């Protein structure tokens, strides 16, 4: 809850000083300040609301995670339809995806509390003191990782808004929505591997073999999914935008390459969840963010959205996938020498500590 208040406070402060136009690089009207502030505040609320997904991971209910993730898009669609029917127009359409995510996450939390047996007890003060030492160890690094991935796409928008044309920004925004549909399928599927990897922590060689197979599998399936993404995206963009925004094939191809690059890193993200491993992940992500920002700033004025997406894909391969191949087997095999590692069943039962 504190995270939500901090995010909302920062958003209100930016609005008071009329700083959104300078940060975003563009404006659509006088309602921008309020609409963007509400959107950022909603994003802050979705962070603690997403705790239910972590609980569902901890109790090994991957099927319910899929339901929750799909419901986010459905709720967003319903909110969009309701706003359109109510005559809402303009900048306020930034809100439906966030409202959908909030409603879906809240539904996931209710489901998680029910299937885990926690129920309303989580809202009552504990009669007996529960030891929490080490419970949140490493959660900060995993929080950085979970927030850093979606932040990357938003950073690209900011770079394009400042250094490229409105048309390129519009093309990127529309193509990112189509890309998000594919990415959500893979990221949801990857969540199912989290409890599997945790349960196998005592078997280093089996874990490495499973990681290699899953990395190869995700890569191959992503390559297959990339084909319709490239072929259908220009047509879907025409339909969704009413022929006002065209998606060049090179931009669709760039997002397809990004999809493959991110998917081959997904199993590593689900595997490396110990505190030291999460810190290593966060370091790789930070390096990727720096490379992406610098390279995107350099190419955005001349290559537009396609160049920004391509350098992002290159940064993922350079700063995440290549280090995965070089270091993940070594990190996994080092676990057997770590006597402080708790039993897998205990850690899995407390996987909800990551928010």
């Amino acid at each position: 809850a504190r995270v939500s208040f901090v995010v909302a406070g920062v958003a209100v402060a930016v609005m008071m000083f009329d700083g959104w136009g300078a940060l975003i690089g563009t404006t659509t009207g006088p309602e921008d300040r309020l609409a963007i502030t509400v959107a950022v505040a909603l994003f802050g609320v979705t962070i603690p609301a997403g705790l239910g997904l972590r609980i569902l991971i901890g109790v090994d209910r991957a099927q319910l995670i899929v339901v929750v993730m799909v419901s986010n898009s459905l709720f967003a669609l319903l909110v969009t339809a309701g706003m359109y029917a109510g005559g809402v127009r303009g900048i306020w359409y930034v809100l439906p995806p966030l409202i959908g995510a909030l409603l879906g996450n809240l539904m996931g939390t209710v489901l998680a509390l029910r299937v885990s047996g926690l129920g309303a007890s989580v809202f009552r003060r504990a009669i007996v003191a529960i030891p929490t030492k080490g419970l949140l160890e490493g959660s900060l690094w995993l929080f950085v990782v979970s927030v850093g991935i979606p932040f990357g796409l938003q950073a690209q928008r900011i770079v394009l808004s400042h250094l490229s044309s409105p048309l390129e920004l519009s093309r990127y925004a529309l193509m990112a929505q189509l890309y998000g549909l594919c990415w959500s399928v893979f990221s949801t599927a990857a969540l199912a591997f989290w409890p599997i990897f945790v349960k196998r922590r005592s078997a280093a060689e089996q874990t490495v073999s499973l990681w290699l197979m899953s990395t190869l599998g995700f890569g191959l399936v992503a390559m297959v999914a990339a084909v319709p993404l490239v072929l259908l995206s220009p047509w879907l963009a025409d339909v969704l935008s009413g022929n006002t925004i065209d998606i060049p094939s090179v931009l669709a191809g760039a997002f397809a390459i990004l999809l493959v690059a991110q998917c081959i890193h997904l199993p590593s993200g689900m595997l490396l969840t110990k505190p030291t491993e999460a810190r290593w992940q966060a370091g790789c992500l930070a390096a990727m963010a720096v490379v992406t920002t610098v390279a995107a700033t350099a190419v955005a004025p001349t290559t537009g959205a396609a160049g920004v997406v391509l350098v992002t894909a290159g940064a993922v391969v350079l700063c995440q996938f290549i280090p995965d191949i070089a270091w993940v087997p070594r990190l996994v095999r080092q676990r057997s020498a770590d006597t402080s590692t708790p039993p897998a069943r205990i850690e899995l039962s407390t996987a909800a500590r990551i928010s």
Side-chain angles (χ1 to χ4, degrees):
R2 293 178 182 176
V3 174
S4 301
F5 286 118
V6 170
V7 172
V10 171
V12 172
V14 174
M15 181 183 69
M16 291 176 61
F17 290 97
D18 199 18
W20 288 121
L23 288 175
I24 297 176
T26 185
T27 181
T28 63
E31 295 181 329
D32 286 11
R33 296 170 64 244
L34 181 58
I36 297 174
T37 301
V38 173
V40 174
L42 283 173
F43 169 75
V45 177
T46 60
I47 296 174
L51 181 63
L53 290 176
R54 307 306 178 183
I55 297 176
L56 291 174
I57 293 171
V59 296
D60 202 7
R61 295 297 183 93
Q63 68 276 16
L64 293 180
I65 297 175
V66 175
V67 173
V68 172
M69 298 293 285
V70 171
S71 71
N72 290 356
S73 299
L74 294 178
F75 282 132
L77 180 61
L78 291 174
V79 172
T80 301
M83 290 175 60
Y84 185 82
V88 178
R89 297 293 183 270
I91 187 65
W92 292 100
Y93 281 96
V94 303
L95 299 182
L98 295 165
I99 296 175
L102 176 59
L103 294 176
N105 286 347
L106 289 174
M107 183 185 75
T109 299
V110 172
L111 285 173
L113 294 178
R114 183 169 182 177
V115 301
S116 66
L118 294 173
S121 63
V122 297
F123 302 105
R124 295 193 293 266
R125 184 181 296 273
I127 300 176
V128 180
I130 300 175
T132 58
K133 183 179 180 180
L135 188 62
L136 295 176
E137 187 181 4
S139 60
L140 174 62
W141 302 115
L142 287 172
F143 174 77
V144 171
V145 172
S146 63
V147 173
I149 294 175
F151 176 80
L153 290 178
Q154 303 308 319
Q156 293 170 358
R157 297 175 195 263
I158 295 175
V159 170
L160 288 171
S161 67
H162 283 277
L163 300 176
S164 191
S165 65
L167 177 59
E168 287 297 314
L169 178 61
S170 299
R171 286 170 171 171
Y172 175 88
L174 182 55
M175 188 62 210
Q177 295 297 319
L178 301 176
Y179 168 84
L181 295 174
C182 294
W183 171 248
S184 64
V185 173
F186 284 98
S187 61
T188 303
L191 283 174
F193 282 86
W194 191 345
I196 295 174
F197 283 133
V198 170
K199 291 176 181 178
R200 293 183 177 224
R201 280 193 173 169
S202 59
E205 296 305 322
Q206 293 181 6
T207 299
V208 172
S209 297
L210 177 60
W211 166 73
L212 287 172
M213 292 293 294
S214 58
T215 299
L216 179 61
F218 270 86
L220 291 175
V221 176
M223 290 179 186
V224 174
V227 175
L229 182 65
V230 174
L231 296 179
L232 297 179
S233 291
W235 173 74
L236 288 173
D238 289 339
V239 173
L240 294 174
S241 67
N243 293 317
T244 59
I245 301 176
D246 66 300
I247 299 295
S249 297
V250 64
L251 178 58
F255 269 99
I257 294 172
L258 178 62
L259 178 67
V260 176
Q262 289 196 306
C263 283
I264 56 179
H265 170 68
L266 267 175
S268 300
M270 297 299 106
L271 170 61
L272 302 177
T273 54
K274 286 186 58 184
T276 54
E277 297 166 354
R279 184 172 64 247
W280 184 85
Q281 270 206 77
C284 292
L285 183 65
M288 186 271 290
V290 172
V291 172
T292 297
T293 303
V294 173
T297 302
V299 304
T302 55
T303 62
V308 169
V309 176
L310 282 174
V311 298
T312 303
V316 171
V317 174
L318 178 65
C319 301
Q320 291 186 293
F321 178 65
I322 293 178
D324 288 345
I325 297 299
W327 286 94
V328 166
R330 185 180 307 179
L331 290 170
V332 172
R333 294 185 178 107
Q334 286 177 351
R335 291 174 174 178
S336 58
D338 186 3
T339 57
S340 63
T341 302
R345 60 181 180 84
I346 295 178
E347 181 161 345
L348 182 58
S349 67
T350 58
R353 71 192 189 284
I354 304 158
S355 59

